[in-house]
Amino acid sequence: MSVPFVNASVQGELSAPPDQIFGQIPASGLDGIAFLDFAYESAGYSTHRVDGLLVGTWQGTRQGTQHDTRHDTRPSAGPQDRDGDRATRLTFCEGGVPDERTDDVFVLRGPGYVGSTRWSGPCRGRYLAYMPAAVERMIEAPLSQTEIATLTSDLSERMSVFHLLAALGQEATGHDTAADALLVDSVALAVLRASGALTPPGPRRSAALTARQARRVRDLVAERIDAPLSLREMAQAAGLSESYFVRAFKGSFGLTPYQYVLRERVTLAQSLIRSGTVSLGEAAKRAGFPDARRMGRTFRKVIGRSPTEAARL
């Protein structure tokens, strides 16, 4: 018996719920962008209708081998491994025309897409689903005036998308708190560019914020350092579209908006810890981290040290 599902702008039926969900970010509170990192251990199928946009990757697992996909961030090697075990077959069907593949696959599904996916054995999928309003905001055009072609290709042609989704999957793993809206927005925009759904309107020009725009963004980050902040809010403070804002911000600061906010949070947390007046948990809260554990992970990623090590130095 099939199971109906709705995920942001995608709805349809599943032969069964996924056997494992490694990471999940619902669309609520993230401007209509949802993420799912999942795996099946046996054959199955799904049907789907897309109203906004769907970008994803599929990895077939070797049948007959033990394979832990929990931390898998690399595509598989090909249709057959060294011991001759069969690869999972992935079959994508649109309008009754099947497209069967045994390699790892990249998929792009635009508004109005109706189709199905079948897998013959173990596999893993990662998807970003965009509501129509989120797509229009990022491509800076109405969907009705935009042509986004359906694409199914070897994953090797879109490896940057694979790495972005894998990184987002690792960030979403095991979190009891809400995902960082700025991170999700930033990855979603980068995925649109890397997938080919967002094409530059002309020759790429250098971009930078004006002094006034930069001051407004800095003030916004300082005021909201202990609260969630989205890419949309930062772009609005500068009076720019999200796509152009990311380019202009990096042209001015040498960092992406997400990297800048992380750096500011780490700087504030270091100062609080060094003062010796607050606990690690309180420092994390005041600096905008969900908890001390996430703060520690960010410290190691940004400066290569734990919070206490950084404070001693």
Side-chain angles (χ1 to χ4, degrees):
M1 182 176 179
S2 60
V3 180
F5 75 91
V6 177
N7 188 9
S9 65
V10 185
Q11 54 187 305
E13 293 185 344
L14 298 168
S15 55
D19 294 302
Q20 291 178 287
I21 293 181
F22 302 104
Q24 185 172 14
I25 300 172
S28 58
L30 292 174
D31 296 327
I33 302 168
F35 173 75
L36 184 62
D37 183 355
F38 62 96
Y40 281 94
E41 296 176 1
S42 56
Y45 70 88
S46 66
T47 63
H48 26 272
R49 185 178 76 243
V50 180
D51 297 320
L53 190 68
L54 179 71
V55 182
T57 62
W58 279 91
Q59 292 175 264
T61 305
R62 299 293 163 270
Q63 298 182 42
T65 61
Q66 294 297 320
H67 182 62
D68 181 3
T69 59
R70 187 172 308 163
H71 303 294
D72 186 6
T73 57
R74 297 176 300 167
S76 53
Q80 198 170 31
D81 69 10
R82 69 179 66 182
D83 298 320
D85 293 309
R86 285 186 304 147
T88 295
R89 293 189 312 278
L90 299 168
T91 305
F92 304 92
C93 190
E94 180 187 12
V97 181
D99 180 359
E100 184 174 301
R101 296 172 180 263
T102 51
D103 289 324
D104 299 324
V105 177
F106 162 82
V107 296
L108 172 64
R109 308 293 188 240
Y113 175 86
V114 178
S116 64
T117 304
R118 290 184 176 273
W119 50 94
S120 65
C123 63
R124 180 169 183 171
R126 296 181 177 96
Y127 279 112
L128 267 178
Y130 303 71
M131 295 289 283
V135 183
E136 291 178 339
R137 193 179 73 243
M138 291 183 172
I139 66 176
E140 304 173 55
L143 273 178
S144 58
Q145 300 175 16
T146 306
E147 184 176 346
I148 301 177
T150 293
L151 177 62
T152 304
S153 67
D154 289 345
L155 188 53
S156 59
E157 299 176 16
R158 292 290 191 279
M159 286 305 298
S160 53
V161 173
F162 173 80
H163 291 302
L164 285 165
L165 295 185
L168 189 56
Q170 289 184 327
E171 189 67 22
T173 300
H175 288 174
D176 299 326
T177 54
D180 190 315
L182 181 56
L183 171 65
V184 176
D185 285 347
S186 300
V187 171
L189 180 58
V191 165
L192 280 188
R193 286 178 173 151
S195 68
L198 179 58
T199 336
R204 197 173 182 86
R205 297 175 291 121
S206 59
L209 300 176
T210 65
R212 186 178 183 184
Q213 289 172 326
R215 184 174 62 253
R216 284 181 174 177
V217 174
R218 280 197 302 264
D219 290 346
L220 175 65
V221 173
E223 291 168 7
R224 296 277 301 279
I225 195 68
D226 62 343
L229 184 63
S230 70
L231 184 62
R232 184 179 189 178
E233 291 171 305
M234 294 181 72
Q236 285 176 339
L240 300 172
S241 69
E242 292 172 43
S243 180
Y244 185 80
F245 170 73
V246 171
R247 289 175 50 206
F249 187 95
K250 193 166 185 179
S252 294
F253 290 90
L255 301 167
T256 66
Y258 179 63
Q259 290 168 335
Y260 175 82
V261 171
L262 282 189
R263 190 187 69 177
E264 293 299 295
R265 287 176 174 165
V266 166
T267 300
L268 175 58
Q270 277 185 289
S271 176
L272 291 169
I273 295 168
R274 283 173 180 163
S275 72
T277 59
V278 299
S279 65
L280 286 179
E282 181 63 22
K285 181 179 178 181
R286 291 191 191 181
F289 296 104
D291 50 49
R293 180 178 61 85
R294 290 276 291 278
M295 179 176 70
R297 285 181 55 188
T298 303
F299 263 68
R300 292 181 180 89
K301 180 165 62 176
V302 174
I303 61 176
R305 297 184 179 92
S306 70
T308 49
E309 289 171 339
R312 282 198 298 269
L313 292 173

